[in-house]
Each structure stands twice: as C-alpha cells, then as structure tokens.
Amino acid sequence: EVDFWIIPVIQGFVQIEELVVNYSESSDDDKSSPETPPQESTCVDDIHPTFLVALISRRSRHRAGMRYKRRGVDKNGNVANYVETEQLIHVHNHTLSFIQTRGSVPVFWSQVGYRYNPRPRLDKSK
C-alpha cells in the first residue's frame, strides 16, 4: 500500500570496505632471530598499507528484465540487462578507478524460451 512512496535511487549494488595488507619479505623465523639487525623505523602505513575499496554496480533502467526473457537491443540503442560495474581503490591519497560494462549482444534478436538452449532468432533484416 505504500509502494508509491518509494523512489528507486539505484538499481544495483554498493559496498565500501577498508582493507589492511599485512605482508613481509622476511619469514617469521628471521624476525625472531637474535642475529637479526634492528630495523630502522618506518611509517606504519608502509608496514601495513590501508586501502579503501569501493565496488559499485549500476543497472540501467532501459530494457531491464530477466536474463533469458529480455535480449538484444532496442531502436534507441539500449541493450538488455546493461550493467556498469566500477571498482574504486583509494591508497596514499591516490584514487584509482576501473570500469567494466556488460549487457546483451547489441543486435535485434530474441530467444523463445530458455529450456534446451534454443537457437537465437534475428528479429530484423540487415
């Protein structure tokens, strides 16, 4: 009864996490050895770098539908089930971004049913 009050802001997924990388070039035995020379002091961020990672997937509102029921492209060039996924990494005051897109094959085609893998049918001539 209250669905008319809900406004969809994003159809997709968002997650942001802070990651700490704990790595060392020396083995644990070398660290505890009495013969190991004292290490010079280093920045804590260099020992355990911290990364802020965000993953955002945005699904287009044009030609959205179930994977096997919505196929191809429309007359405006919108492909079915188009999703743009962006990965953002922030480390040492630098932000890196990688974007990947996916969607249906951009031709006029359809597929009747999805059981037993029926062949795709081209809906328009060349």
Side-chain angles (χ1 to χ4, degrees):
E1 296 177 13
V2 296
D3 287 346
F4 64 92
W5 291 99
I6 299 172
I7 300 173
V9 177
I10 184 171
Q11 186 178 13
F13 174 83
V14 176
Q15 184 168 353
I16 302 170
E17 294 288 333
E18 187 173 282
L19 304 174
V20 177
V21 179
N22 185 4
Y23 65 90
S24 175
E25 294 180 11
S26 61
S27 68
D28 288 338
D29 294 335
D30 293 340
K31 290 180 185 175
S32 61
S33 172
E35 292 85 28
T36 304
Q39 300 284 329
E40 63 181 66
S41 63
T42 57
C43 176
V44 174
D45 200 30
D46 291 336
I47 297 171
H48 302 290
T50 302
F51 296 86
L52 190 63
V53 179
L55 188 66
I56 305 167
S57 288
R58 296 173 285 266
R59 185 173 184 198
S60 174
R61 63 182 177 84
H62 302 287
R63 293 189 54 79
M66 291 177 54
R67 181 173 157 203
Y68 290 107
K69 296 190 180 215
R70 180 72 69 172
R71 300 287 197 161
V73 67
D74 66 7
K75 64 180 181 175
N76 296 321
N78 299 309
V79 297
N81 298 311
Y82 178 85
V83 178
E84 176 185 87
T85 301
E86 183 172 8
Q87 174 183 318
L88 295 158
I89 300 174
H90 182 79
V91 62
H92 295 297
N93 296 322
H94 297 286
T95 302
L96 309 165
S97 172
F98 175 74
I99 297 177
Q100 180 179 357
T101 59
R102 67 178 177 88
S104 185
V105 177
V107 293
F108 293 100
W109 68 289
S110 61
Q111 192 173 22
V112 180
Y114 52 90
R115 195 169 180 178
Y116 306 118
N117 298 322
R119 290 185 171 203
R121 179 183 71 219
L122 293 178
D123 293 335
K124 294 195 177 205
S125 64
K126 295 179 183 178

